[in-house]
Amino acid sequence: MKVDLRLYAILDPERTRGRDLAELARAAAAGGATLLQYRDKHAGTRDLVARAGAIKAALADTGVPLLVNDRVDVALAAGADGVHVGQDDMHAGDARRLLGPRAIVGVTLKTSAHVAELAALPVDYGCIGGIFATASKDNPAPPVGLAGLAQLVDGARGTRPGLPVGAIAGIDATNAAAVIGAGADGVAVISALFMAEDVEAAARSLRRIVDEALAARGPADAAR
């Protein structure tokens, strides 16, 4: 499945200023988010399913797919469109086997070794991180920066030509264009969206920045 990573909104209850998750998801979609992930490391399973289900319902007529971070069981129970798995989560192959061929399965890429494994992974996209320092997640590894991002993107495209590759961590309106310029197909954003006073406006601004940066790269580069 071809996944649109241009503006990948990651909804974490710890970075929402206490506001309703479903309403925030709908606002992000209205502003131009192309993919949304529900990430919650603390809620119990029943709450996770209920919240994911409410977010899925809020996105029902937007065309924006909902992924669940890590929890394949929650994605199945809530009727989500897929999952995103990290390097310490369920293996992407197991997630695919459980969710089936139509689900979206994404994977975190942090090193060249992770990129090399892409050839054998049944995933629909990769997300490289962390690019910059971030307060949204405890990340013991140092940020890879723009140069590291460019190197990992090139490696991913060599291993899996045509696979969409996004970037995450510390990305906002001040650096999103540079991230796209370094080769990413889109940006995954948490605080810059969901800590904003006006989520829809923040999404619209970021989406415009990403689209303009992609256009500046040109069709030949975008088709790599």
Side-chain angles (χ1 to χ4, degrees), residues 35 41 45 47 74 76 78 95 125 127 137 161 181-182 195 206 220-221:
L35 184 66
K41 299 295 188 180
T45 299
D47 283 341
V74 172
L76 282 167
Y125 72 87
C127 197
K137 186 177 182 180
M195 292 293 283
L206 279 162
D221 184 87

Side-chain angles (χ1 to χ4, degrees), residues 119-175:
L121 294 182
V123 295
D124 300 289
Y125 72 87
C127 197
I128 296 170
I131 308 306
F132 307 114
T134 176
S136 297
K137 186 177 182 180
D138 182 16
N139 203 347
V144 301
L146 294 174
L149 169 63
Q151 182 178 17
L152 291 170
V153 167
D154 285 346
R157 291 206 170 107
T159 303
R160 285 280 300 274
L163 184 77
V165 180
I168 190 171
I171 300 171
D172 57 26
T174 70
N175 55 31

Side-chain angles (χ1 to χ4, degrees), residues 1 3 67 80-83 95-96 98-105 122 124:
M1 178 182 293
V3 179
L67 308 186
D81 299 289
V83 294
R96 172 66 69 200
L98 291 169
L99 291 170
R102 298 180 63 184
I104 298 171
V105 178
D124 300 289

